[in-house]
Amino acid sequence: MVRVLGIGGVFFRAKDPAMLARWYDEHLGVSPAPTTADMQPWTTEQGVTVFAPFDEETDYFPKDHAFMLNFRVADLDAACNELKLAGIAIGEVVAMDGVGKFVRIHDPEGNPIELWEAQ
């Protein structure tokens, strides 16, 4: 059986791709896709990646979005404070025993993002 080594990319449509790429780079440190051999791609740290198709009727994220991004962070409180200072609305922090803490934000096009500090 083929066994993938990790996520190679996340690709989705955007109204303003250049603006959205800058927002992810500025606020979350996700470098834009390289367009030249000199540009460095976003490199993640080794860790858990959850792959979870959800039922089409889920209320875990908005029905008008087919996906939600989840990014691991080292310090959720620090991330929330930094994002608040940048004027980004932060949802309620939710803790799950044995899993970690989560919070929701949205990018400028309304795409849901979950930040996760693993336990």
Side-chain angles (χ1 to χ4, degrees), residues 31-53:
S31 304
T35 55
T36 68
D38 296 331
M39 289 179 70
Q40 293 299 310
W42 175 48
T43 303
T44 63
E45 293 184 19
Q46 183 176 352
V48 173
T49 299
V50 176
F51 180 79

Side-chain angles (χ1 to χ4, degrees), residues 39-104:
M39 289 179 70
Q40 293 299 310
W42 175 48
T43 303
T44 63
E45 293 184 19
Q46 183 176 352
V48 173
T49 299
V50 176
F51 180 79
F54 278 70
D55 186 279
E56 66 183 349
E57 297 300 319
T58 188
D59 61 358
Y60 195 67
F61 51 91
K63 290 189 184 299
D64 62 338
H65 288 82
F67 69 92
M68 178 182 69
L69 299 172
N70 173 293
F71 292 118
R72 286 180 281 116
V73 297
D75 184 335
L76 188 62
D77 294 333
C80 288
N81 289 336
E82 186 176 318
L83 293 167
K84 282 180 193 175
L85 287 173
I88 297 168
I90 306 295
E92 178 182 344
V93 174
V94 175
M96 292 178 67
D97 287 338
V99 179
K101 298 187 304 186
F102 300 85
V103 73
R104 294 280 175 86

